[in-house]
């Protein structure tokens, strides 16, 4: 019974990781489907860890993408205003910049942002496939560049929410002796 349950949980976590690819077919599918699968078996520690990791990674990559797009938009707006104030770029239905050196910083910044977005896309595909393979083997996987938004409710070495400070421990011993 336990072997079939462990196999079922490995299959569930594998599907949980792979379900983030539904974002290419359904808007917000990368949040909805992993969350539904995670919440269906949240009591199992293995499913809970993988579900939290998958959702934390999706939230993190979404925020990184929004940040890069916002930087790109601000850069575009800055250079558009800079070029437009000096001299109009559009003349006779054509785009022209008289000196290439004026447009070079814009091209470099947008190129770097494009490379970072492409790298984030490739990282996401690689990490999700690696996580699903690890889940299928029954191993834990730690996504790279992940911010832990959904932390575990159970205190452990990394989550010290229920531990007392030194002052609280001192006060407790004083209360015991009085």
């Amino acid at each position: 019974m336990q072997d079939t349950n462990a196999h079922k949980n490995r299959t569930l976590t594998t599907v949980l990781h792979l379900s983030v690819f539904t974002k290419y077919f359904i808007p917000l599918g990368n949040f909805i489907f992993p969350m539904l699968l995670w919440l269906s078996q949240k009591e199992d520690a293995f499913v809970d860890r993988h579900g939290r990791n998958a959702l934390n990674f999706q939230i993190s990559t979404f925020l990184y993408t929004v940040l890069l797009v916002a930087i790109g938009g601000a850069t575009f707006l800055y250079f558009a205003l800079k070029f437009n104030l000096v001299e109009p770029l559009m003349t006779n239905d054509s785009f022209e910049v008289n000196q290439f050196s004026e447009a070079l910083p814009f091209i470099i910044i947008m190129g770097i942002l494009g490379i970072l977005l492409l790298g984030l896309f490739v990282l996401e595909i690689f990490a999700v496939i690696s996580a699903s393979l690890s889940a299928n083997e029954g191993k834990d996987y730690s996504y790279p560049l992940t911010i832990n938004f959904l932390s575990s409710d159970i205190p452990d070495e990394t989550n010290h929410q229920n531990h007392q400070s030194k002052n609280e421990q001192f006060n407790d011993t004083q209360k015991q002796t009085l």
Side-chain angles (χ1 to χ4, degrees):
M1 173 71 179
Q2 186 176 3
D3 186 42
T4 59
N5 193 24
H7 180 68
K8 176 184 168 191
N9 289 339
R10 288 191 327 207
T11 304
L12 177 69
T13 54
T14 302
V15 171
L16 186 144
H17 287 292
L18 292 175
S19 70
V20 301
F21 290 134
T22 59
K23 74 179 181 181
Y24 299 114
F25 308 108
I26 300 169
L28 299 176
N30 59 328
F31 299 114
I32 295 169
F33 293 110
M35 187 177 298
L36 290 174
L37 292 171
W38 170 51
L39 292 175
S40 71
Q41 293 291 320
K42 186 179 176 182
E43 299 80 28
D44 187 300
F46 184 70
V47 175
D48 187 44
R49 282 191 309 271
H50 279 273
R52 286 181 195 278
N53 288 339
L55 287 170
N56 282 332
F57 183 67
Q58 289 304 308
I59 295 168
S60 299
T61 55
F62 175 73
L63 290 177
Y64 296 144
T65 303
V66 167
L67 177 70
L68 290 174
V69 169
I71 291 171
T75 302
F76 180 79
L77 185 62
Y78 170 76
F79 280 103
L81 290 174
K82 180 181 172 185
F83 290 144
N84 210 12
L85 292 176
V86 173
E87 165 181 326
L89 294 176
M90 298 295 286
T91 57
N92 298 334
D93 296 330
S94 65
F95 179 81
E96 62 183 59
V97 175
N98 291 336
Q99 293 185 3
F100 181 71
S101 61
E102 292 177 5
L104 191 59
F106 175 74
I107 294 169
I108 290 172
I109 292 171
M110 288 304 201
I112 290 171
L113 290 174
I115 290 170
L116 288 174
L117 282 171
L118 180 64
L120 191 60
F121 173 74
V122 170
L123 173 72
E124 181 181 15
I125 290 174
F126 175 76
V128 168
I129 292 172
S130 296
S132 62
L133 291 174
S134 293
N136 194 32
E137 294 171 356
K139 299 177 185 174
D140 285 336
Y141 183 79
S142 178
Y143 281 99
L145 301 175
T146 301
I147 303 168
N148 286 327
F149 294 104
L150 305 171
S151 62
S152 177
D153 295 335
I154 302 167
D156 56 37
E157 300 86 36
T158 59
N159 187 4
H160 303 285
Q161 293 175 350
N162 292 335
H163 296 294
Q164 291 180 332
S165 69
K166 296 289 182 188
N167 291 336
E168 290 171 340
Q169 290 172 357
F170 179 74
N171 289 337
D172 283 346
T173 57
Q174 279 185 331
K175 289 177 187 174
Q176 290 174 357
T177 58
L178 295 176

